[in-house]
Amino acid sequence: MHPCLNPPPFSEEEPVTEVLHGVHVVDAYRWLEDQDSPRTRAWIEEQTLYARNYLDSIPGRGHIRQRIREFLAVETYDSLQRVGSRYFFRKRLPDQEQPCIYMREGADGEDLLLIDPLERGTGSHTAVMPLRISPGGRLLLYEVKEGGERTGIFELLETETRKRLLDFLPRGYLRGFAFAPDGKSFYYVQEALDVKRPFYRAAYHHVLGTPFSEDQEIFFAGEDEKIRLGLFSDSKRLVFLISRFLHKTFTDIYLKPLERKGMPELIFRGIDYCLGLRLLDDRMLAITDRDAPNRRIVEIHLRENGNHEWVDIVPETDSSIGTWLVVGDRLFISYAKQMKHTISVFDLSGQKVGELPISDDETVRMMGGSPECDELLFETESFAKPIGIFRYSTKTNQQKLWAKRNIQIDPTNYGHSQVWYTSKDGTRIPMYLAGRLDVLAKSGNPTIMTSYGGYGVSVTPQFSVFVAFLMECGCVFALPNIRGGSEFGIEWHKAAKRRNRQTAYDDFLSAAEWLIETRRTTPRKLAIFGGSNSGLLVGAALTQRPDLFGAVVCMVPMLDMLRYHLFDNTHVWKDEFGSADDPDDFAALAKYSPYHQVRPGTAYPATMLVSGDADRNCNPLHARKMTARLQAASNSEHPIFLDYSKFRGHSPVLPLSVRIEALTDRMAFLCDQLQLAV
């Protein structure tokens, strides 16, 4: 193991004390929340130099970079959509820095370049993404991002001429968009940046070729930070959704026929359950968990008195519904039951007519389809098989490969199994173990582990270059299905939601203990990683049981859980995490908030924190403050450092060369700490 050459930079303490619900809370590094102050920028520069001195001196780095390049520098396709006979998608050639947007006329037509972000002349951090296509495919709405920002600029392209229209929406969050049926105007909801009234929530109608100052306001939802307005439409109706983020989320839904003037009609008020609508000719279908925890598909017949009639189309089963699409005259519904994915096919009356063939070890995601087309677009992947994109015809019941990533990895050399372990409260938890077949047959292996444990997100077999490289180097990959996801229905999510969050961390720590107790690995050979909510997970594991791990990679995390809700738009996550403004939530948050659980004089494992200026989901203040506190508290010789970039954010849009270097850093760190042969 290569030592860190110097002690970390000194981070000055300036304690700020607050009294929250009668409890004194001390924050020594509050000053690092000010991202643009000269002090913070100087601190970031010192931390970057410290990190680079360590990372650049790790032996074998050149070989690691070369292999990472072989994984990443391949042709990729994503974001596939179809309108009529036209397909729109992103494609990146093997050595291109960013994907371009293409169009194909017919499934076997030529790939026609529409938008190359390099032509904008703004540098390799500029990325584009197709969002909406007008009826007939004449106009394309696409987003332009810089670095990892969550906001974007929204532009329109005439697909026949590749002419960019003068009509564009400035930088901000696009909360709703719909082309008018004739393609000559559009409806939109945007939260623009740098405006005088940032919390004014309204929907507008814009006619192409006219100034935006002449746009007609067609709906006003209020002026409040805790309100979010959205919209969508079909060829006949507009739907407006107002969400209010209070102690829980409440939603109002309005309906307006396009040809009718006047105010929209309120059809649902203050609902606190899931209701995802689909407009289908004169029918209104919906997915809901009302009276159905595992969700069902219903048809809603609106009544003037508000007592709408709900008719089951596809009733609730013992399997949780994930996503659903109307494709032609068929309903495609994905189910998840005990980590196995299935896609069932129904007619529009709810009669089951088939099922897509899916392997037990695959994760499948439906990408697109519409009532006007007879083709479902979906993608599959597994631990050792990169993403493949497929087309499934409702007429022939046949599926065809559209594209796949040709990464040089032989899946026959890899395998996985499922084991069960007991968590702290006695609950049985499943866990995937994946790796090379020769490695899985041995004990005492270096092991890399992650999970998610939030928002009802299930973890299933997926391909990750991060994991594939480490498995190739002899690591076992452990993926426990901890509570907070929905692998076993809504109750699996609720068991680790809000004030029960510690349950997810107990499940994760119990998985680590089981791996060690069964001699599959040792603490020195066990590393954990995670990003975003999973970054919070590994931050909690790091601070609660530092003795269990040899290395930690904590990416774009939230870590100060007593102040997370005060920044950006994170107040909308109150229903998932709670808020320190609430005394009962505060008590739960204070017990696990990783930043507040760092203890001086503790031997913390080698830790790499990853963040950047552009993150407005999990504000980089979390990583900055946590780095300072861990460095000051740890009494071990293991490196604790911050990998920071002004361009890095929460969106995976960094250029290829930057991604190669970033992943090389993470792999070099883990190879060094786990003593992997490269």
Side-chain angles (χ1 to χ4, degrees), residues 535-552:
L536 169 60
L537 169 68
V538 301
L542 160 69
T543 50
Q544 293 181 25
R545 289 295 306 276
D547 58 303
L548 287 180
F549 311 110
V552 178

Side-chain angles (χ1 to χ4, degrees), residues 433-613:
L433 298 178
R436 289 191 342 229
L437 295 174
D438 62 317
V439 173
L440 292 174
K442 301 185 299 183
S443 60
N445 295 299
T447 300
I448 184 79
M449 183 171 74
T450 193
S451 194
Y452 195 76
Y455 296 99
V457 174
S458 299
V459 292
T460 55
Q462 297 179 29
F463 186 83
S464 158
V465 171
F466 188 115
V467 171
F469 177 88
L470 293 170
M471 290 196 303
E472 189 175 71
C473 292
C475 270
V476 170
F477 175 48
L479 184 66
N481 294 94
I482 65 177
R483 283 169 285 183
S486 58
E487 286 88 342
F488 296 95
I490 190 65
E491 295 305 318
W492 203 251
H493 177 205
K494 289 181 178 179
K497 185 179 179 181
R498 202 162 182 164
R499 295 167 195 165
N500 298 324
R501 206 73 182 180
Q502 182 60 40
T503 299
Y505 310 143
D506 288 342
D507 289 354
F508 191 70
L509 292 170
S510 295
E513 291 173 335
W514 183 89
L515 289 166
I516 294 165
E517 289 168 1
T518 57
R519 299 186 178 182
R520 282 168 169 79
T521 192
T522 65
R524 192 67 200 91
K525 293 182 178 181
L526 177 57
I528 54 176
F529 75 96
S532 193
N533 177 70
S534 183
L536 169 60
L537 169 68
V538 301
L542 160 69
T543 50
Q544 293 181 25
R545 289 295 306 276
D547 58 303
L548 287 180
F549 311 110
V552 178
V553 179
C554 183
M555 300 176 288
V556 292
M558 288 197 307
L559 297 166
D560 181 346
M561 296 307 292
L562 301 186
R563 289 176 60 76
Y564 86 90
H565 63 295
L566 302 177
F567 300 91
D568 307 316
N569 291 312
T570 48
H571 61 272
V572 304
W573 299 338
K574 183 176 180 179
D575 191 43
E576 182 71 20
F577 295 106
S579 162
D581 294 338
D582 181 288
D584 293 326
D585 286 343
F586 166 78
L589 290 164
K591 287 181 180 179
Y592 76 76
S593 176
Y595 177 66
H596 298 92
Q597 292 304 315
V598 176
R599 299 290 178 252
T602 301
Y604 287 103
T607 302
M608 178 184 198
L609 292 113
V610 179
S611 191
D613 283 347

Side-chain angles (χ1 to χ4, degrees), residues 52-94:
R52 292 261 52 97
N53 284 341
Y54 166 59
L55 291 168
D56 291 343
S57 62
I58 294 174
R61 181 182 175 86
H63 175 77
I64 293 170
R65 181 191 290 109
Q66 178 58 35
R67 186 58 180 135
I68 294 299
R69 171 171 285 280
E70 291 170 359
F71 274 118
L72 292 179
V74 297
E75 186 173 85
T76 64
Y77 288 77
D78 62 53
S79 309
L80 179 62
Q81 301 180 53
R82 178 183 169 185
V83 172
S85 62
R86 291 180 170 179
Y87 295 83
F88 297 84
F89 52 93
R90 291 201 311 175
K91 180 171 76 170
R92 185 179 59 76
L93 300 178

Side-chain angles (χ1 to χ4, degrees), residues 216-244:
Q216 178 188 1
E217 181 179 301
I218 58 174
F219 187 78
F220 176 63
E223 190 168 6
D224 191 326
E225 182 183 15
K226 295 184 178 180
I227 291 177
R228 182 172 292 176
L229 173 64
L231 72 79
F232 65 93
S233 79
D234 66 356
S235 61
K236 299 178 181 179
R237 297 163 287 185
L238 275 171
V239 176
F240 303 94
L241 303 97
I242 304 174
S243 296
R244 294 180 171 85

Side-chain angles (χ1 to χ4, degrees), residues 172-209:
Y173 298 93
L174 188 62
R175 301 301 188 190
F177 184 95
F179 282 107
D182 61 6
K184 296 180 180 179
S185 63
F186 61 80
Y187 308 91
Y188 69 96
V189 174
Q190 190 195 29
E191 296 174 14
L193 301 184
D194 303 322
V195 293
K196 292 182 179 179
R197 301 174 71 177
F199 306 127
Y200 190 89
R201 310 303 193 211
Y204 299 89
H205 181 214
H206 174 78
V207 178
L208 294 175

Side-chain angles (χ1 to χ4, degrees), residues 145-402:
K145 286 181 177 291
E146 296 294 333
E149 64 170 342
R150 291 298 290 217
T151 56
I153 297 171
F154 303 90
E155 300 179 345
L156 289 166
L157 185 84
E158 194 172 55
T159 58
E160 296 286 353
T161 63
R162 284 190 64 195
K163 178 184 177 183
R164 190 194 312 173
L165 303 189
L166 296 178
D167 310 77
F168 73 94
L169 296 170
R171 192 169 306 280
Y173 298 93
L174 188 62
R175 301 301 188 190
F177 184 95
F179 282 107
D182 61 6
K184 296 180 180 179
S185 63
F186 61 80
Y187 308 91
Y188 69 96
V189 174
Q190 190 195 29
E191 296 174 14
L193 301 184
D194 303 322
V195 293
K196 292 182 179 179
R197 301 174 71 177
F199 306 127
Y200 190 89
R201 310 303 193 211
Y204 299 89
H205 181 214
H206 174 78
V207 178
L208 294 175
T210 66
F212 278 89
S213 59
E214 297 179 6
D215 289 358
Q216 178 188 1
E217 181 179 301
I218 58 174
F219 187 78
F220 176 63
E223 190 168 6
D224 191 326
E225 182 183 15
K226 295 184 178 180
I227 291 177
R228 182 172 292 176
L229 173 64
L231 72 79
F232 65 93
S233 79
D234 66 356
S235 61
K236 299 178 181 179
R237 297 163 287 185
L238 275 171
V239 176
F240 303 94
L241 303 97
I242 304 174
S243 296
R244 294 180 171 85
F245 301 97
L246 305 173
H247 65 281
K248 61 189 305 185
T249 302
F250 298 93
T251 302
D252 299 339
I253 302 178
Y254 291 78
L255 184 68
K256 182 182 185 302
L258 288 172
E259 75 279 359
R260 184 186 304 169
K261 295 183 178 180
M263 290 297 296
E265 174 191 0
L266 176 66
I267 57 174
F268 291 99
R269 180 190 297 276
I271 62 174
D272 60 356
Y273 49 82
C274 159
L275 187 65
L277 300 178
R278 294 274 197 279
L279 303 180
L280 188 63
D281 292 329
D282 295 322
R283 302 176 67 183
M284 178 180 289
L285 304 185
I287 185 171
T288 184
D289 60 3
R290 175 187 167 184
D291 302 323
N294 283 335
R295 304 204 285 187
R296 57 186 171 131
I297 307 298
V298 299
E299 182 170 1
I300 300 175
H301 301 285
L302 299 179
R303 300 291 183 253
E304 290 186 3
N305 61 7
N307 294 322
H308 310 312
E309 181 183 2
W310 297 56
V311 179
D312 275 2
I313 300 297
V314 180
E316 180 190 24
T317 70
D318 61 352
S319 298
S320 176
I321 293 178
T323 56
W324 68 298
L325 286 173
V326 180
V327 182
D329 59 356
R330 294 288 185 263
L331 278 172
F332 288 82
I333 301 178
S334 71
Y335 289 94
K337 183 177 182 180
Q338 298 186 6
M339 289 70 69
K340 181 180 178 182
H341 278 247
T342 60
I343 294 182
S344 296
V345 188
F346 300 82
D347 64 24
L348 294 181
S349 69
Q351 183 70 35
K352 186 173 180 179
V353 295
E355 194 166 288
L356 264 65
I358 299 168
S359 300
D360 288 348
D361 65 343
E362 287 184 329
T363 293
V364 60
R365 284 179 295 274
M366 295 192 290
M367 301 173 64
S370 70
E372 294 76 36
C373 296
D374 61 353
E375 192 172 68
L376 172 71
L377 307 173
F378 67 97
E379 60 185 19
T380 68
E381 60 182 321
S382 66
F383 291 128
K385 292 181 181 179
I387 289 176
I389 301 176
F390 295 84
R391 302 180 296 118
Y392 177 85
S393 169
T394 60
K395 292 183 177 180
T396 65
N397 296 325
Q398 293 181 341
Q399 66 183 48
K400 295 182 179 180
L401 179 69
W402 167 273

